[in-house]
Amino acid sequence: MTSDSEEWRPNQEATLSNEAKPLSDATITIRIIKSFTFRTEKHLILQHLDLEHTTVGQLKENARKAVATQAGWKPYRNVTLDTLKLYTKAHGAKTTNLIINLENDDWILDDEAATLASLGFENETEVSFFNRELYEAFKINPETKWDTGTGA
């Protein structure tokens, strides 16, 4: 049995997860991409990130440091990670490509000095971090080789 204060009321508005935390204490997901062709990627979760003061350059450096020093990232250490691109925001539409958003190249974050908040980042934003040369080659020929089965 619940008390009156805990009872759900249909007219109460739920707080969306991207609005639940302030920009000064956000959680974002970085999709570290090793191979577009084989869909090899791993998520790096960064918590308590201050989006109002963290720049694109600082985010790249934090991600590179995590890959270089944290357990479980050894297979990713031979990739030159040089480009960030917005993948999706919380409650936003996702791309049909499972490895990266191939549309919207204007979502590539080229300004190293821009703060994440100034670029529209909010709690639960997802970005991809990858090698730009491999990305450009994949865009020309977006073939995946993760399914090597020949069928029945």
Side-chain angles (χ1 to χ4, degrees), residues 29-42:
T29 301
I30 303 176
R31 301 163 52 86
I32 308 288
I33 299 172
K34 178 178 173 73
S35 170
F36 295 98
T37 305
F38 290 97
R39 290 187 182 172
T40 311
E41 61 94 15
K42 185 173 179 177

Side-chain angles (χ1 to χ4, degrees), residues 49-152:
L49 201 61
D50 184 349
L51 303 178
E52 295 172 313
H53 295 99
T54 303
T55 65
V56 169
Q58 290 169 330
L59 182 63
K60 287 180 179 180
E61 197 51 44
N62 289 345
R64 284 187 197 110
K65 183 178 178 183
V67 169
T69 61
Q70 292 181 10
W73 289 98
K74 190 172 184 178
Y76 292 79
R77 292 181 185 151
N78 64 347
V79 178
T80 302
L81 300 167
D82 57 15
T83 305
L84 282 170
K85 183 177 182 183
L86 180 65
Y87 184 72
T88 188
K89 293 182 184 178
H91 313 291
K94 291 192 176 186
T95 179
T96 56
N97 188 307
L98 298 177
I99 191 71
I100 193 159
N101 175 351
L102 289 174
E103 305 84 33
N104 305 315
D105 272 353
D106 55 324
W107 290 5
I108 290 176
L109 309 177
D110 286 328
D111 184 355
E112 299 275 323
T115 65
L116 302 179
S118 73
L119 297 170
F121 276 54
E122 53 193 20
N123 190 47
E124 295 194 5
T125 294
E126 282 189 45
V127 292
S128 300
F129 195 26
F130 52 89
N131 178 278
R132 183 72 174 262
E133 186 177 329
L134 296 176
Y135 170 75
E136 295 297 341
F138 184 70
K139 275 181 53 181
I140 293 168
N141 183 21
E143 179 182 327
T144 57
K145 296 181 181 177
W146 63 274
D147 184 8
T148 58
T150 57

